[in-house]
Amino acid sequence: MDSIYIEYNFIVVPNEPATEILIAELGTVGFESFVENNEGVTAYIQKQDWSEDILTDIFILSSTEFKITYTKREVEQTNWNAEWEKNFNPIQVEDKVSIRAPFHENPNLKFDIVIEPKMSFGTGHHETTHMMVQHLLALDLEGKKVLDMGCGTGILAIFAEMKGATPIDAIDIDAWCYENSIENVQRNNCNHISVYEGNSSLLENKQYDVIIANINRNILLNDMETYTKCLNKNGVLLLSGFYQEDISIIDEEVSKYKLSLDKTIQRNNWVALRYQK
């Protein structure tokens, strides 16, 4: 039986950066999937996780800097693919990496990632995924053991394998992301990625050369000790899912574990940090 979801259609004026802030806040209260459009964003939450006051703590809705209106309705899970096909556009990163759906033309770049556009976070359109691809482009991943924590659609794990990483663990707490990542791993003919459904508790006794954690600030802060314990000597930790103003609190936490910040990428107030152990 298909799950029932509550769909919120937000119209945001001006669109940026308010839409990105809205998505980040919605993610903290249980919204798990987002489709951005020219007017704002459509957001989805499972009905079992929804309540009438779900938007009470979404601070941007009360901001005087933006005008945000919304409507909501119940939808069946089976409606989602059509919604994605209407809104999913291919992107390119530094003219080297293409991220596209199967129905898009192949631009014949060096790396071509094909993602079935279902309701999982991380299609490459969000600033943080884009920046993480940039970080991975700059790294030598040949033969490196990699963790993609909060893998979403599996884009970053797939790209890591394309760059020679092996083996790779991809983990997400959301069942949709878990299932979608498995499909996308198969679609991209990856042979060295293991996908797991769960959280940081799965990392006990695990060690990695590169850890990718594109989640949100609070989860990163909560799990930072676990990540750093899993990181091999001279390993690289890539962090994103937060804003420029959050860098100081993230850096303070990471510094406790003797890692040093050596590269920052920023897009529209979102940031992605690279730390070296």
Side-chain angles (χ1 to χ4, degrees), residues 25-254:
E25 288 198 57
L26 292 173
T28 66
V29 296
F31 284 81
E32 61 184 51
S33 304
F34 308 89
V35 179
E36 294 183 62
N37 54 62
N38 292 333
E39 294 185 329
V41 63
T42 303
Y44 297 86
I45 184 171
Q46 290 194 47
K47 188 175 181 179
Q48 64 188 33
D49 298 328
W50 174 83
S51 63
E52 285 287 353
D53 62 352
I54 193 73
L55 301 182
T56 300
D57 295 326
I58 306 301
F59 297 111
I60 193 170
L61 295 179
S62 58
S63 171
T64 58
E65 296 182 50
F66 313 105
K67 180 181 179 182
I68 303 177
T69 58
Y70 64 87
T71 57
K72 75 175 190 296
R73 66 184 182 109
E74 287 190 7
V75 296
E76 297 286 345
Q77 180 173 306
T78 50
N79 292 334
W80 291 356
N81 286 352
E83 290 300 311
W84 271 109
E85 290 193 18
K86 287 190 296 184
N87 293 281
F88 185 87
N89 297 311
I91 67 166
Q92 298 180 9
V93 181
E94 297 186 7
D95 294 324
K96 295 178 181 178
V97 184
S98 60
I99 301 170
R100 63 184 179 89
F103 47 82
H104 293 138
E105 184 178 351
N106 186 348
N108 295 312
L109 300 185
K110 183 176 182 180
F111 300 101
D112 181 45
I113 303 172
V114 181
I115 298 298
E116 184 66 40
K118 295 185 178 180
M119 296 305 296
S120 307
F121 191 71
T123 59
H125 292 69
H126 192 271
E127 318 291 13
T128 58
T129 310
H130 190 287
M131 292 185 292
M132 287 300 222
V133 170
Q134 288 181 281
H135 273 308
L136 292 173
L137 264 173
L139 292 176
D140 176 10
L141 298 180
E142 192 68 37
K144 299 294 177 65
K145 187 173 184 180
V146 172
L147 167 66
D148 181 4
M149 194 71 197
C151 58
T153 53
I155 283 178
L156 300 177
I158 291 166
F159 184 46
E161 176 162 330
M162 289 180 174
K163 289 208 66 191
T166 182
I168 302 155
D169 288 341
I171 300 175
D172 204 291
I173 197 170
D174 180 75
W176 252 107
C177 293
Y178 166 72
E179 294 171 5
N180 197 197
S181 290
I182 291 174
E183 293 176 6
N184 289 326
V185 164
Q186 295 169 347
R187 180 178 296 277
N188 289 271
N189 300 312
C190 294
N191 299 309
H192 305 291
I193 300 173
S194 299
V195 183
Y196 302 95
E197 181 180 352
N199 56 26
S200 60
S201 65
L202 297 177
L203 301 179
E204 188 174 355
N205 299 321
K206 296 277 192 175
Q207 292 296 131
Y208 302 95
D209 301 306
V210 178
I211 295 177
I212 306 161
N214 182 15
I215 312 178
N216 66 54
R217 189 190 75 171
N218 292 338
I219 294 177
L220 291 175
L221 291 172
N222 185 68
D223 292 344
M224 196 68 69
E225 182 177 5
T226 301
Y227 300 152
T228 56
K229 284 182 177 178
C230 292
L231 194 62
N232 287 330
K233 184 178 180 181
N234 299 319
V236 172
L237 175 63
L238 301 177
L239 302 176
S240 196
F242 49 90
Y243 301 113
Q244 184 177 14
E245 51 265 34
D246 296 320
I247 291 178
S248 59
I249 189 170
I250 293 289
D251 191 58
E252 180 181 358
E253 182 65 22
V254 180

